[in-house]
């Protein structure tokens, strides 16, 4: 298919202000989409209420409206600008909800505006909990036992039938807002009041809890020709129970066997085809850690927070491609990094996303985590190993630490640390590291936290290297090994009790400096200005022998 020639002017709705539960990733997506549409010759009108974004820069769109993202204001813009079309899936849940309201109120029909990309029917099927459940059952995809409710009395009855513990999932809210886990009726009523109030359609799914299962995500892409590909598979370090936006997330998926990986990947492709989504789509699964039993958690029929991560992790411009698919282009017609958008990326490195929480600004707020997202941003490290990218990420958080060590846990007893990690909290990973330093077994930590053993083993490698550094102060080979693992000069200097500048000078004198590798996931061989540093050599070479 060729791009639409009957469309001249397109409206993009942004995601609004950066709030707790919605990080700044949608600015990245909106900017990509606006530039992609301008690249194809369309006039782009953008409405976003947040001036502190790149997308609202004057060169990104042809015209920018800095107005509240409400039905009233968007309707005024439509009536004045008379765009030919609107692309609903770029501004996160905010943009999607507004586009659906415009459709339901008849404003799109009144103004002669087309809804491009994924249809309103497909969005309804993915977002409406009851329709989504019916769709999954019709195609044989397993869904968690649940019931749709519209008031607290229905919720109480549903929870009793489904069986506690349950999770409440309000329909059409962003970042899991209003949802949560309930172990009894009192907790259900407390969470339910807010859940029903915040759902635009006053609909809440009462779902059997699968807390402790592995949480696996796939970012998939489909065009109107029904060509569908997998962009990136991602694995949450925390089990189900923590919103994926609040969890450490690793790509590619590392802990699954080939059979389970293919099973979930095939399911994600099956879902996007059944929903007839055109563009990027995020599919989330809960996988039993002791078997191949899985459940579909949810589908985001739009560019999501996970899309931004998958895009940066894979080097695949998801929002850009989604915008062009919405304009009628097929995947094989969209150029990407010397190839086409129809090529599935494959990663020869590992990335780790760490959430950034605002608890330093809201010190009195409880730092417990659940199904409602609390992070306001995230960082991502790229490395040759899991240890390297995790250490890069923790240094990038700008929280005053350069390693997996928080001084607050030094004074905790072992029992206090065990009690602390029984609940999901924003800084649990630091407590886990402290317990590993004290000799706690991986088996015991897995039993308490349900963090997959593979990740705990990686954390233990970092702790073991700390011990090796302490025992071999000044040793050049140990220094090389620590830098290959991803240790910072600052932390090595603290272990060796020597100034950081001396560590740097020692490295330089011994040729221990990083090389830079290119992200080329489509393997086109074309130069891409997307690089990451690593002290680990490419296969068959030694970065230190040449002194690079």
């Amino acid at each position: 298919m060729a791009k639409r020639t009957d469309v001249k002017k397109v409206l993009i709705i942004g995601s609004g202000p950066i709030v707790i539960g919605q990080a700044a990733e949608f600015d990245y997506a909106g900017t990509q989409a606006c530039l992609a549409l301008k690249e194809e010759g369309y006039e782009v009108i953008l409405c976003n209420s947040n001036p502190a974004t790149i997308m609202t820069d004057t060169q990104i769109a042809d015209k920018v409206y800095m107005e509240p993202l409400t039905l009233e204001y968007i309707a005024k813009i439509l009536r004045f600008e008379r765009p030919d079309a609107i692309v609903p899936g770029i501004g996160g849940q905010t943009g999607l909800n507004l586009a659906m309201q415009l459709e339901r109120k008849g404003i799109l029909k009144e103004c002669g505006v087309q809804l491009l990309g994924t249809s309103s029917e497909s969005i309804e099927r993915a977002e409406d909990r009851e329709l989504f459940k019916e769709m999954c059952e019709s195609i044989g995809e397993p869904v968690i036992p649940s019931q749709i409710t519209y008031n607290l009395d229905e919720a109480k009855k549903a929870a009793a039938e489904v069986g506690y513990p349950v999770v409440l999932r309000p329909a059409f809210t962003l970042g899991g807002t209003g949802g949560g886990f309930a172990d009894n009726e009192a907790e259900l009523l407390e969470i339910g009041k807010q859940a029903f109030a915040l759902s635009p359609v006053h609909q809440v799914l009462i779902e059997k809890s699968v807390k402790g299962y592995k949480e696996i995500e796939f970012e998939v892409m489909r065009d109107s020709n029904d060509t569908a590909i997998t962009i990136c598979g991602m694995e949450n370090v925390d089990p189900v129970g923590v919103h994926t936006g609040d969890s450490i997330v690793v790509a590619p998926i590392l802990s699954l066997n080939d059979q389970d990986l293919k099973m979930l990947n095939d399911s994600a492709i099956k879902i996007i085809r059944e929903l007839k989504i055109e563009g990027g789509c995020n599919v989330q699964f809960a996988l039993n850690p002791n078997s191949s039993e899985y459940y579909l958690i949810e589908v985001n029929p739009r560019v999501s927070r996970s899309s931004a991560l998958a895009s940066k992790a894979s080097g695949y411009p998801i929002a850009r491609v989604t915008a062009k698919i919405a304009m009628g282009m097929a995947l094989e017609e969209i150029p990407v990094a010397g190839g086409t958008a129809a090529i599935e990326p494959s990663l020869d490195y590992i990335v780790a996303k760490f959430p950034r929480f605002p608890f330093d600004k809201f010190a009195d707020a409880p730092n417990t985590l659940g199904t409602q997202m609390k992070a306001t941003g995230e960082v991502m490290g790229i490395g040759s190993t899991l240890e390297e990218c995790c250490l890069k990420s923790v240094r990038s958080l700008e929280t005053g630490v350069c390693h997996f060590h928080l001084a607050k846990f030094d004074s905790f007893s072992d029992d206090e640390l065990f009690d602390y990690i029984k609940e999901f909290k924003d800084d649990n990973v630091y407590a886990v590291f402290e317990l590993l330093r004290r000799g706690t077994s991986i088996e015991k930590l897995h039993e308490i936290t349900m963090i997959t053993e593979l990740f705990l083993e990686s954390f233990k490698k970092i702790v073991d290297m700390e011990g090796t550094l302490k025992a071999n102060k000044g040793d050049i080979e140990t220094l090389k090994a620590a830098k290959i693992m991803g240790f910072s000069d600052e932390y090595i200097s603290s272990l060796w009790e020597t100034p950081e500048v001396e560590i740097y000078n020692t490295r330089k004198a011994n040729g221990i400096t990083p090389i830079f590798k290119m992200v080329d996931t489509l393997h086109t061989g074309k130069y891409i200005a997307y690089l990451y540093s690593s002290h680990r050599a490419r296969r068959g070479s030694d970065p230190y022998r040449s002194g690079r």
Side-chain angles (χ1 to χ4, degrees):
M1 291 181 66
K3 68 180 182 181
R4 300 281 293 264
T5 56
D6 59 328
V7 174
K8 306 297 181 186
K9 185 189 288 190
V10 183
L11 174 69
I12 295 286
I13 303 174
S15 59
I18 299 166
V19 297
I20 293 173
Q22 181 175 349
E25 296 86 354
F26 294 112
D27 183 28
Y28 172 73
T31 301
Q32 265 195 28
C34 289
L35 293 175
L37 294 175
K38 286 179 69 176
E39 185 178 85
E40 295 299 331
Y42 297 103
E43 182 182 354
V44 178
I45 310 300
L46 170 70
C47 182
N48 194 39
S49 60
N50 185 1
T53 57
I54 295 170
M55 77 166 77
T56 50
D57 289 354
T58 53
Q59 71 270 27
I60 300 300
D62 294 291
K63 189 180 286 188
V64 177
Y65 283 89
M66 209 83 68
E67 301 288 356
L69 294 183
T70 63
L71 181 64
E72 178 187 1
Y73 276 93
I74 300 297
K76 284 182 180 179
I77 293 168
L78 285 175
R79 288 169 177 143
F80 179 74
E81 288 290 344
R82 298 287 172 168
D84 301 301
I86 182 171
V87 179
I90 301 299
Q93 195 68 49
T94 300
L96 195 72
N97 286 353
L98 278 168
M100 293 300 290
Q101 289 176 44
L102 292 166
E103 171 90 352
R104 292 192 195 102
K105 295 289 185 180
I107 296 169
L108 295 185
K109 185 177 180 180
E110 171 202 329
C111 298
V113 179
Q114 301 177 61
L115 196 66
L116 296 187
T118 302
S119 68
S120 57
E121 292 80 9
S122 293
I123 294 170
E124 287 279 10
R125 291 175 75 198
E127 291 284 325
D128 185 285
R129 299 294 182 179
E130 191 165 11
L131 294 176
F132 178 67
K133 182 181 178 182
E134 289 173 2
M135 184 270 295
C136 290
E137 290 173 344
S138 71
I139 61 173
E141 285 297 324
V143 289
I144 303 168
S146 63
Q147 290 187 29
I148 304 295
T149 63
Y150 293 91
N151 56 55
L152 283 174
D153 287 337
E154 289 183 8
K156 285 195 296 183
K157 184 179 178 182
E161 292 178 6
V162 170
Y164 288 98
V166 296
V167 59
L168 287 76
R169 297 187 184 276
F172 289 94
T173 64
L174 60 88
T177 299
F181 286 93
D183 292 321
N184 50 58
E185 187 174 298
E187 292 180 5
L188 176 88
L189 294 174
E190 183 182 352
I191 299 169
K193 288 176 185 177
Q194 184 183 31
F196 285 110
L198 291 175
S199 171
V201 293
H202 305 293
Q203 181 195 94
V204 176
L205 184 76
I206 306 299
E207 186 178 83
K208 181 69 178 174
S209 172
V210 287
K211 188 184 287 188
Y213 277 41
K214 288 175 180 282
E215 186 158 356
I216 307 293
E217 304 177 68
F218 286 91
E219 194 70 28
V220 286
M221 181 75 70
R222 177 185 174 273
D223 63 19
S224 58
N225 292 338
D226 202 33
T227 301
I229 63 170
T230 300
I231 306 300
C232 189
M234 296 165 281
E235 180 173 8
N236 289 19
V237 169
D238 292 305
V240 172
V242 177
H243 189 284
T244 181
D246 287 349
S247 178
I248 298 170
V249 178
V250 172
I253 295 166
L254 300 175
S255 72
L256 301 190
N257 59 44
D258 291 342
Q259 179 183 343
D260 287 348
L261 190 60
K262 185 178 186 305
M263 173 184 69
L264 297 182
N265 186 44
D266 288 349
S267 175
I269 294 293
K270 183 180 179 183
I271 288 291
I272 193 175
R273 283 186 162 141
E274 178 65 23
L275 286 170
K276 294 181 171 54
I277 289 168
E278 295 180 18
C281 172
N282 175 257
V283 185
Q284 297 173 17
F285 297 96
L287 177 69
N288 190 323
N290 302 313
S291 70
S292 294
E293 174 196 37
Y294 75 92
Y295 295 106
L296 269 164
I297 298 177
E298 68 176 2
V299 172
N300 287 310
R302 55 178 170 81
V303 175
S304 67
R305 182 210 54 76
S306 293
S307 304
L309 170 60
S311 191
K312 296 303 291 183
S314 65
Y316 187 103
I318 292 170
R320 175 175 174 268
V321 173
T322 295
K324 296 198 176 192
I325 286 175
M327 304 315 295
M329 298 178 70
L331 283 168
E332 62 265 21
E333 296 174 322
I334 303 171
V336 173
T340 74
I343 303 173
E344 286 196 350
S346 61
L347 281 59
D348 60 356
Y349 51 82
I350 299 171
V351 305
K353 179 273 291 184
F354 277 49
R356 177 64 162 92
F357 295 98
F359 295 118
D360 52 337
K361 299 179 179 67
F362 300 94
D364 294 332
N367 69 334
T368 53
L369 306 178
T371 59
Q372 182 172 334
M373 183 174 164
K374 293 184 177 180
T376 50
E378 59 191 35
V379 300
M380 187 189 83
I382 308 180
S384 300
T385 64
L386 182 56
E387 298 80 39
E388 182 184 15
C389 63
C390 283
L391 286 166
K392 282 184 176 182
S393 293
V394 77
R395 292 197 294 272
S396 302
L397 287 170
E398 297 182 353
T399 56
V401 300
C402 66
H403 195 77
F404 287 103
H405 173 255
L406 272 187
K408 74 179 256 188
F409 292 122
D410 291 347
S411 59
F412 278 45
S413 68
D414 288 5
D415 288 340
E416 287 174 326
L417 286 169
F418 288 132
D419 286 339
Y420 194 86
I421 64 173
K422 283 178 181 176
E423 278 191 298
F424 300 123
K425 297 186 180 71
D426 71 308
D427 53 5
N428 266 15
V429 67
Y430 300 98
V432 167
F433 265 85
E434 183 59 33
L435 284 166
L436 284 169
R437 291 185 186 100
R438 299 182 188 187
T440 305
S441 69
I442 287 173
E443 292 74 21
K444 184 168 185 176
L445 288 171
H446 170 69
E447 182 183 342
I448 297 171
T449 66
M450 292 303 293
I451 294 174
T452 301
E453 290 95 329
L454 181 143
F455 299 119
L456 292 171
E457 288 165 2
S458 182
F459 295 163
K460 189 172 187 306
K461 288 178 184 177
I462 293 172
V463 170
D464 289 344
M465 178 55 74
E466 293 172 8
T468 302
L469 281 164
K470 287 179 183 178
N472 296 276
K473 293 180 180 179
D475 181 70
I476 299 303
E477 292 304 314
T478 301
L479 179 60
K480 285 181 182 179
K483 293 305 294 184
I484 287 173
M485 187 172 282
F487 276 61
S488 66
D489 287 358
E490 181 181 354
Y491 194 71
I492 294 171
S493 73
S494 70
L495 295 177
W496 281 7
E497 300 174 322
T498 186
E500 184 180 344
V501 68
E502 288 190 19
I503 302 295
Y504 174 78
N505 290 335
T506 299
R507 285 201 300 104
K508 292 287 285 184
N510 289 275
I512 306 174
T513 54
I515 59 173
F516 289 85
K517 300 182 179 183
M518 186 176 72
V519 171
D520 180 22
T521 55
L522 302 187
H523 305 291
T524 61
K526 182 179 178 181
Y527 173 75
I528 302 165
Y530 188 15
L531 308 169
Y532 66 98
S533 65
S534 178
H535 283 79
R536 181 175 292 272
R538 294 186 185 278
R539 190 173 297 171
S541 64
D542 183 350
Y544 304 120
R545 187 169 296 162
S546 63
R548 287 180 291 176

